[in-house]
């Protein structure tokens, strides 16, 4: 997509955002730049919300101002890597994404920044690079013990070592039903079990088995530099339980 067409679609996406949600945003800037991710190869920053807050006892559009920026060069580089790249859909999604950053700044938090972190760590994991095994907890908490990171779902289950050893199978909830698969041999500290064959499932569903420890034990382990034992395994077609 040529820059002129890109700017036209971006402006239309910007105008599609209701004015109430754009309050405190000084405008949309469309740049020709390509901005690479500072750490991850072949990842490009498509946009950003440049926010500046002014000292005040009241947080609102008068004290928190933002500018939304889209990088045409980054879109172009990403499109070269993906022949099915949907320019218009990605432009609209990026504009909405950056406006949400501004709204969360107004609310005094930045949950979307957490999601960005989780996606970065997920990418590192897929690339075989060092990654944070607790990254999924930075995603959206959609239910008790369940997290979503974009199109990935994580179901977290805690076990004491004794409870894990005595269990013959792992039982978890998905879409209002109970499902089960054979217990893995080893618990570790964090054990990611990729589950395939679930109905209405996103591309990735993982049951995360976590060894239950007290906060003091976790602190002592960190102080001693003990590495977290992270395991990964796969199961297919879990059994549905009544």
């Amino acid at each position: 997509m040529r820059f002129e067409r890109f700017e036209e679609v971006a402006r239309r996406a910007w105008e599609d955002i209701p004015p109430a949600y754009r309050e405190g945003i000084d405008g949309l800037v469309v740049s020709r730049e390509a901005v690479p991710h500072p750490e991850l190869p072949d990842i490009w920053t498509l946009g950003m919300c440049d926010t500046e807050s002014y000292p005040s006892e009241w947080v609102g559009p008068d004290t928190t101002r933002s500018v939304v920026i889209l990088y045409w060069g980054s879109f172009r580089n990403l499109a070269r890597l993906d022949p099915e790249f949907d320019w218009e859909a990605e432009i609209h999604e990026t504009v909405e994404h950056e406006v949400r950053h501004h709204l969360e700044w107004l609310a005094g938090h930045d949950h979307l920044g957490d999601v960005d972190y989780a996606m970065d760590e997920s990418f590192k994991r897929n690339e075989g690079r060092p990654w944070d095994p607790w990254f999924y907890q930075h995603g959206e908490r959609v239910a008790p013990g369940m997290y979503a990171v974009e199109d990935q779902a994580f179901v977290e289950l805690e076990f004491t070592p004794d409870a894990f050893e005595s269990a013959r199978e792992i039982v978890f909830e998905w879409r209002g039903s109970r499902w089960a698969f054979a217990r893995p041999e080893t618990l570790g500290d964090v054990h990611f079990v990729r589950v395939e064959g679930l109905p209405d499932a996103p591309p990735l569903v993982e049951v995360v088995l976590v060894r239950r420890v007290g906060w003091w034990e976790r602190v002592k382990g960190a102080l001693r530099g003990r590495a977290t034992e992270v395991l990964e395994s796969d199961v297919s077609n879990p059994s549905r339980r009544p």
Side-chain angles (χ1 to χ4, degrees):
M1 181 182 289
R2 298 178 63 86
F3 178 78
E4 293 74 17
R5 173 59 178 165
F6 179 88
E7 187 172 28
E8 177 186 337
V9 175
R11 299 291 177 195
R12 189 169 66 244
W14 169 251
E15 294 297 331
D16 285 344
I17 303 293
Y21 295 125
R22 289 186 270 133
E23 189 176 0
I25 303 179
D26 292 329
L28 172 71
V29 174
V30 181
S31 170
R32 293 179 180 269
E33 283 186 272
V35 180
H37 191 282
E39 297 181 2
L40 307 180
D42 293 332
I43 296 294
W44 299 89
T45 298
L46 300 181
M48 70 172 293
C49 179
D50 189 5
T51 301
E52 184 172 358
S53 296
Y54 302 93
S56 174
E57 295 180 357
W58 182 76
V59 177
D62 292 334
T63 61
T64 302
R65 310 296 299 183
S66 298
V67 173
V68 170
I69 307 171
L70 261 60
Y71 298 108
W72 170 72
S74 294
F75 278 78
R76 183 179 57 181
N77 288 344
L78 189 58
R80 288 171 176 168
L81 298 172
D82 181 4
E84 298 183 0
F85 185 77
D86 188 332
W87 280 82
E88 295 205 11
E90 291 296 337
I91 290 170
H92 278 80
E93 182 175 340
T94 302
V95 169
E96 294 172 3
H97 180 101
E98 302 308 333
V99 169
R100 183 178 162 192
H101 268 303
H102 173 76
L103 295 174
E104 293 190 344
W105 270 105
L106 290 181
H109 53 78
D110 190 18
H111 292 321
L112 196 58
D114 286 344
V115 174
D116 289 343
Y117 171 81
M119 289 299 297
D120 284 352
E121 294 302 306
S122 178
F123 181 84
K124 291 178 184 178
R125 178 191 181 190
N126 292 335
E127 290 292 301
R129 302 174 58 188
W131 53 286
D132 177 4
W134 308 104
F135 76 95
Y136 64 92
Q137 294 181 347
H138 292 264
E140 182 182 359
R141 187 173 181 272
V142 295
M146 181 175 291
Y147 301 87
V149 178
E150 295 288 339
D151 58 354
Q152 306 170 45
F154 300 87
V155 181
E156 183 184 74
L157 301 175
E158 283 192 341
F159 289 90
T160 64
D162 288 344
F164 180 79
E165 290 297 329
S166 64
R168 296 182 58 187
E169 59 184 15
I170 302 298
V171 180
F172 65 101
E173 291 194 8
W174 176 258
R175 303 291 190 191
S177 298
R178 298 170 75 245
W179 300 81
F181 56 84
R183 175 183 64 80
E185 291 187 6
T186 308
L187 174 60
D189 291 318
V190 189
H191 191 149
F192 290 84
V193 183
R194 179 168 185 162
V195 182
E196 297 183 348
L198 288 170
D200 301 320
L204 176 69
V205 177
E206 289 188 286
V207 175
V208 186
L209 311 177
V210 177
R211 184 172 71 91
R212 181 179 297 167
V213 297
W215 69 272
W216 179 236
E217 183 180 351
R218 193 179 300 277
V219 169
K220 288 193 295 183
L223 292 175
R224 294 169 181 168
R226 187 180 74 83
T228 301
E229 184 183 10
V230 181
L231 304 176
E232 298 176 271
S233 59
D234 299 271
V235 298
S236 300
N237 302 316
S239 302
R240 192 167 187 167
R241 294 289 182 263

